[in-house]
């Protein structure tokens, strides 16, 4: 397969994926209600949002527990290695350590933001339910069973 053919196939697959509705927590695209959601619709539950926030903080914890050992660079120090090599290895180890700490902090921050978004989601869902009930009370009309 040539590069152009493979590229065209990859573009077609990406376009096909993009046209399908977004799903969270393996909720079926039909939503169980018979009509499929429009493209870009997000289906979520507060429990799944909190569960994913917990998962992110667990990942941050596992990363922190498996942090790199600073002593791994001892083999590349003087007199075992040339001074320039030792300096570059130490510089790279410092850079890698900073990137590692940034990744751990990012997962922890994402977890916090997701948990906050989950709380807001619950508030919005509650407001939507209250609004619906208010509309039923304001605009609803009682019809007796005999009058139907």
């Amino acid at each position: 397969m040539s590069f152009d053919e493979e590229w065209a196939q990859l573009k077609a697959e990406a376009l096909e994926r993009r046209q399908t509705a977004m799903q969270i927590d393996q909720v079926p695209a039909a939503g169980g209600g018979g009509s499929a959601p429009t493209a870009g619709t997000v289906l979520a539950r507060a429990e799944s949002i909190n569960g994913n926030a917990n998962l992110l903080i667990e990942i941050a914890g596992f990363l922190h527990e498996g942090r790199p050992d600073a002593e791994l660079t001892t083999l590349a120090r003087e007199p075992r290695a040339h001074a320039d090599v030792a300096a570059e290895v130490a510089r790279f180890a410092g850079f890698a350590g900073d990137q590692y700490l940034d990744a751990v902090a990012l997962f922890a921050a994402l977890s916090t933001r997701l948990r906050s978004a989950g709380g807001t989601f619950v508030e919005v869902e509650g407001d939507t339910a209250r609004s619906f009930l208010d509309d039923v009370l304001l605009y609803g009309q009682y019809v007796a069973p005999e009058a139907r």
Side-chain angles (χ1 to χ4, degrees):
M1 176 181 294
S2 72
F3 174 79
D4 292 332
E5 292 171 336
E6 185 177 358
W7 182 250
Q9 180 183 1
L10 290 172
K11 284 179 20 181
E13 289 172 2
L15 183 61
E16 184 179 306
R17 281 192 308 269
R18 188 171 155 204
Q19 292 174 348
T20 61
M22 183 183 300
Q23 297 179 41
I24 297 179
D25 288 327
Q26 295 79 34
V27 175
S35 62
T38 60
T41 300
V42 178
L43 304 172
R45 295 187 312 269
E47 303 86 33
S48 73
I49 292 172
N50 287 335
N52 289 329
N54 291 341
L55 183 62
L56 285 171
I57 202 69
E58 282 182 36
I59 290 171
F62 287 139
L63 279 174
H64 183 70
E65 287 300 318
R67 59 191 171 275
D69 186 6
E71 295 301 314
L72 291 176
T73 60
T74 56
L75 293 176
R77 291 186 186 155
E78 290 186 80
R80 294 181 181 163
H82 189 271
D84 293 339
V85 172
E88 287 301 312
V89 168
R91 188 177 72 80
F92 176 75
F95 171 76
D98 288 343
Q99 293 294 305
Y100 166 80
L101 292 175
D102 288 346
V104 171
L106 177 66
F107 277 115
L110 286 173
S111 172
T112 303
R113 294 294 293 189
L114 189 57
R115 190 171 305 281
S116 173
T120 304
F121 177 76
V122 170
E123 290 173 16
V124 169
E125 288 293 305
D127 291 344
T128 303
R130 276 189 292 284
S131 174
F132 172 76
L133 292 176
D134 288 346
D135 287 347
V136 168
L137 292 174
L138 290 173
Y139 306 112
Q141 182 178 359
Y142 176 72
V143 178
E146 304 84 35
R148 290 186 195 169

